[in-house]
Amino acid sequence: MPFRKPNDEGTRPTDVTETLVARGTAGAVAVAWDADQAVTALYSANYRSLVRLAAMLVRDAGTAEEVVQDAFVAMHGGWRRLRDPDKALSYLRQSVVNRSRSVLRHRAVVEKYAPKGLPDAPSAEAGAIGELERSAVIDALSRLPARQREALVLRYYADLSEAEIANAMGISRGAVKSHTARGMTALRNVLEQFS
């Protein structure tokens, strides 16, 4: 779609570029008028369809509008470098697609390097209750006989197997089972007294 100057003088409509060359006034003012008129015409005819295109690509209406507006601003600024003004809409579409890709790449980088959120911190009350429970368990463990305490600590704190506990304590696996079972029973009884 060629961009034509309004027919004010009663002459045939001519292409803007033809008018500028014919008058010999291809200066900064004439080129600015050319870009303003052409981009305004493109904007009024194609803005909505370009926003829909960008919205389908970036999945966000606000960002799509920004992408399209940036494409129009860039086209206006580079209008003199445009080789074929009849293909301006094609250039705009390509610019919208490229800018949408840039937005998506930027989002991917931001998501990749976004700081990880801190896990939910327990309340002060939960911390106090947990501390009381730990101190009650430690106190109850201190009341157990040494072998039972060692067997329970190696099993549930150090997470060792029965064979590893037997090797560490220098006793048989059967003795480890016996000390662990007796220790758990005694620990349960002591903790029930505290409750």
Side-chain angles (χ1 to χ4, degrees):
M1 164 175 102
F3 300 101
R4 306 230 179 244
K5 180 179 176 188
N7 192 357
D8 295 331
E9 302 165 352
T11 60
R12 71 176 179 85
T14 57
D15 196 38
V16 173
T17 308
E18 286 178 31
T19 304
L20 295 174
V21 172
R23 291 184 184 170
T25 59
V29 175
V31 171
W33 180 89
D34 183 25
D36 289 345
Q37 294 291 68
V39 172
T40 301
L42 276 170
Y43 185 89
S44 61
N46 300 296
Y47 176 76
R48 288 185 181 174
S49 65
L50 291 172
V51 169
R52 284 192 300 267
L53 170 66
M56 292 297 290
L57 296 172
V58 299
R59 299 175 305 274
D60 176 23
T63 305
E65 289 176 353
E66 289 177 23
V67 164
V68 172
Q69 288 170 6
D70 290 346
F72 275 106
V73 168
M75 169 150 295
H76 183 272
W79 186 257
R80 285 189 283 170
R81 294 186 309 270
L82 191 63
R83 290 186 189 138
D84 186 1
D86 291 336
K87 294 184 179 177
L89 180 58
S90 297
Y91 294 139
L92 264 175
R93 279 192 195 110
Q94 188 62 47
S95 177
V96 167
V97 169
N98 288 341
R99 290 170 189 273
S100 297
R101 287 178 183 156
S102 294
V103 165
L104 294 174
R105 279 192 300 271
H106 178 72
R107 280 183 191 167
V109 169
V110 167
E111 288 173 8
K112 181 178 179 182
Y113 295 107
K116 304 292 184 234
L118 296 174
D120 292 336
S123 67
E125 181 181 88
I129 290 173
E131 184 60 34
L132 286 173
E133 290 173 351
R134 280 189 295 279
S135 63
V137 170
I138 291 171
D139 187 43
L141 273 172
S142 66
R143 295 176 185 219
L144 295 178
R147 291 285 187 164
Q148 291 176 7
R149 183 175 50 248
E150 287 174 12
L152 289 177
V153 168
L154 290 173
R155 178 69 183 112
Y156 296 106
Y157 182 75
D159 200 28
L160 299 179
S161 67
E162 289 177 353
E164 292 170 326
I165 295 170
N167 190 24
M169 291 178 66
I171 57 176
S172 69
R173 288 181 65 184
V176 170
K177 289 180 184 180
S178 174
H179 288 304
T180 304
R182 288 182 190 150
M184 285 300 291
T185 303
L187 190 62
R188 192 174 300 115
N189 290 337
V190 170
L191 289 174
E192 286 175 356
Q193 290 173 359
F194 285 132
S195 305

